[in-house]
Amino acid sequence: PVSVNRLPLLLLVLLLSLPALAEPPDELLCASMPGEDTLEQRWPEVEALWRAHLREGVLESPEQPEEQPGGYRLQTRVRIAYGVLAQPGNATPAAAVVIANGRTESYLKYRELALALWCRGYAVYMPDHRGQGLSSRVLAYRDGVSRRRDDETPGQYVNRGHVEDFRHHVRDLEHFVDLVVPADIPRLLLAHSMGGAVGLRLVQERPGLFVAAALSSPMLGVPGQFACGGLAAWGERQGRDAYVPGSGPWVDEERYPYREDLGFQVRVGWHYTGSPVRHNLWHREFARPRPAADGRIEDLRIGGPTLGWFAAACDIVDTLETDAARVQVPVLVLIAADDTVIPAGRQRAVCAAIAANARPPGGCRARRIDGARHEMFIDRDEPRDRLLDELFAFFSEPAAAL
């Protein structure tokens, strides 16, 4: 038995040893990532873990404008900003996950998702598409553009959601993977919405670049696709930098904070997520000034799509279905049941075309996530957890599982 006189000494030794016995902060947060009920309160912990392991960089794109279209100018010296979460020390990652984000997005939006992947042993690579996030804008800064709305500043003009040709985005992503992502570990593609179209096109053109691809709410069709020919022709007359009818500049007070009243739905449309907490955490980021890849101080706000964006989107979604047989790796299509943006029928049709023409180890399977809206990675806990379960199960399977 321990004598009473020695108890204080033993207690002191035990107290001094507790920090050494405790788990490192990284492991503690990984073991209990916060859900919606505590996410806002614990966001500083998430931010601290993100900052501790994030490495940021910039690449000059190999795809630079060669000619200036009539009526507007394109940005030259396009630079692609990116973030990387590598595994600490000399740890070998389970695989490299490349995230191709959606329209208007940035890798800054993907803290929760990237850390969930990182906590499972993946290295995460996150480029921003040209025209958004911290990458160079597509339209050049210019005063006196006749088609600019009277209430738009030059900054609002350059932040239109414009695309000249999605082939530029595909080449940007390929360039990033070739230069930044190690080739000696398996590469996995995780693409959302518009990034799903860009990423799947790269999978078709470079069969050996990724070992598998997961697509969340992928843009395998576009809203109003029946109008592709007419709107594209109208855009050539009106100017490809003009907004799609009904669209316009980003307006902060219309999108933040989270609302679902009738007035919001009439002006802006239904929210793309059912989670007020995750919506507000992300949308608060938009107006914060930060250095962009081209040296300017930018914010993240991107306006609605232009007629050029719509024409380019029509072109790429047609190509994706036509060239479905070129996909030679396993593909998972994650379909949000309550998606009001991308037609679920188009997602299933392209997946079926991939599966019908697949040669081992390729193939495609579609999974519907009930209760999920378009932005499933920042949705409510319940559909988001089901989405992550599907994703992690797919990434952990051997390539021959399909």
Side-chain angles (χ1 to χ4, degrees):
V2 178
S3 69
V4 175
N5 292 335
R6 294 178 60 188
L7 279 175
L9 179 61
L10 289 173
L11 288 172
L12 178 61
V13 171
L14 179 61
L15 288 172
L16 290 174
S17 66
L18 281 177
L21 295 174
E23 291 184 276
D26 290 1
E27 294 183 17
L28 287 173
L29 185 56
C30 284
S32 61
M33 291 294 286
E36 284 181 283
D37 55 342
T38 59
L39 184 60
E40 191 154 17
Q41 294 83 355
R42 295 184 61 192
W43 193 248
E45 298 174 52
V46 176
E47 283 279 290
L49 185 59
W50 167 267
R51 287 194 301 269
H53 297 282
L54 180 69
R55 175 171 60 85
E56 297 177 289
V58 177
L59 289 178
E60 186 156 325
S61 170
E63 292 289 326
Q64 301 292 346
E66 296 180 357
E67 60 184 52
Q68 303 297 334
Y72 64 98
R73 294 190 303 114
L74 298 179
Q75 177 66 48
T76 56
R77 286 199 72 224
V78 174
R79 303 176 74 194
I80 305 302
Y82 65 88
V84 175
L85 287 181
Q87 287 296 306
N90 297 320
T92 301
V97 179
V98 178
I99 296 179
N101 56 44
R103 198 188 83 81
T104 78
E105 296 184 346
S106 167
Y107 63 83
L108 297 170
K109 182 177 183 176
Y110 284 85
R111 291 171 175 85
E112 267 195 286
L113 173 63
L115 287 172
L117 290 161
W118 183 85
C119 285
R120 286 180 173 253
Y122 295 103
V124 189
Y125 296 81
M126 305 166 285
D128 277 350
H129 298 296
R130 65 171 64 203
Q132 61 188 55
L134 299 182
S135 292
S136 301
R137 298 297 178 255
V138 174
L139 295 173
Y141 281 85
R142 179 185 179 187
D143 289 320
V145 176
S146 61
R147 282 181 296 277
R148 196 178 72 220
R149 284 175 30 158
D150 292 338
D151 60 343
E152 281 187 312
T153 66
Q156 285 177 311
Y157 171 73
V158 79
N159 286 335
R160 293 184 183 202
H162 186 67
V163 167
E164 279 293 302
D165 192 322
F166 274 110
R167 286 179 295 183
H168 299 158
H169 293 65
V170 176
R171 295 284 75 78
D172 290 342
L173 182 58
E174 179 181 36
H175 184 63
F176 170 77
V177 174
D178 284 339
L179 267 63
V180 178
V181 185
D184 58 351
I185 56 175
R187 293 164 168 166
L188 301 166
L189 175 66
L190 176 54
H192 174 65
S193 194
M194 186 186 85
V198 173
L200 184 59
R201 186 59 187 159
L202 181 54
V203 167
Q204 291 176 339
E205 294 182 356
R206 285 280 304 273
L209 199 59
F210 300 102
V211 298
L215 313 178
S216 158
S217 305
M219 191 182 78
L220 305 182
V222 292
Q225 195 162 340
F226 64 90
C228 275
L231 268 181
W234 189 49
E236 294 300 327
R237 297 192 301 272
Q238 292 292 112
R240 289 169 59 89
D241 62 333
Y243 280 115
V244 167
S247 186
W250 184 274
V251 182
D252 288 318
E253 59 268 24
E254 288 187 345
R255 296 184 180 269
Y256 173 77
Y258 187 96
R259 297 165 52 200
E260 286 192 340
D261 58 87
L262 181 60
F264 172 88
Q265 294 176 48
V266 170
R267 289 194 306 275
V268 181
W270 196 255
H271 272 302
Y272 298 157
T273 166
S275 171
V277 173
R278 291 189 171 100
H279 167 94
N280 290 346
L281 283 170
W282 166 231
H283 283 261
R284 280 204 296 254
E285 295 283 336
F286 272 106
R288 289 176 52 194
R290 59 189 85 228
D294 58 8
R296 293 184 173 90
I297 302 299
E298 285 282 10
D299 57 46
L300 300 176
R301 289 173 289 193
I302 297 295
T306 64
L307 291 167
W309 183 96
F310 186 79
C314 290
D315 288 342
I316 193 171
V317 297
D318 282 347
T319 305
L320 292 173
E321 188 165 14
T322 301
D323 289 347
R326 296 177 63 179
V327 177
Q328 299 179 19
V329 297
V331 175
L332 173 67
V333 175
L334 295 157
I335 301 172
D338 298 333
D339 197 335
T340 59
V341 182
I342 305 298
R346 287 286 301 182
Q347 296 177 26
R348 293 188 183 278
V350 174
C351 186
I354 293 171
N357 295 282
R359 292 179 305 223
C364 184
R365 64 181 179 220
R367 290 288 184 269
R368 171 189 162 107
I369 307 299
D370 290 331
R373 300 191 191 180
H374 181 70
E375 295 189 6
M376 291 187 279
F377 291 120
I378 61 166
D379 212 328
R380 295 177 297 109
D381 284 349
E382 187 178 353
R384 182 178 178 273
D385 289 346
R386 288 199 299 272
L387 171 76
L388 293 178
D389 287 344
E390 292 281 358
L391 177 66
F392 291 137
F394 176 70
F395 278 170
S396 66
E397 292 174 356
L402 289 175

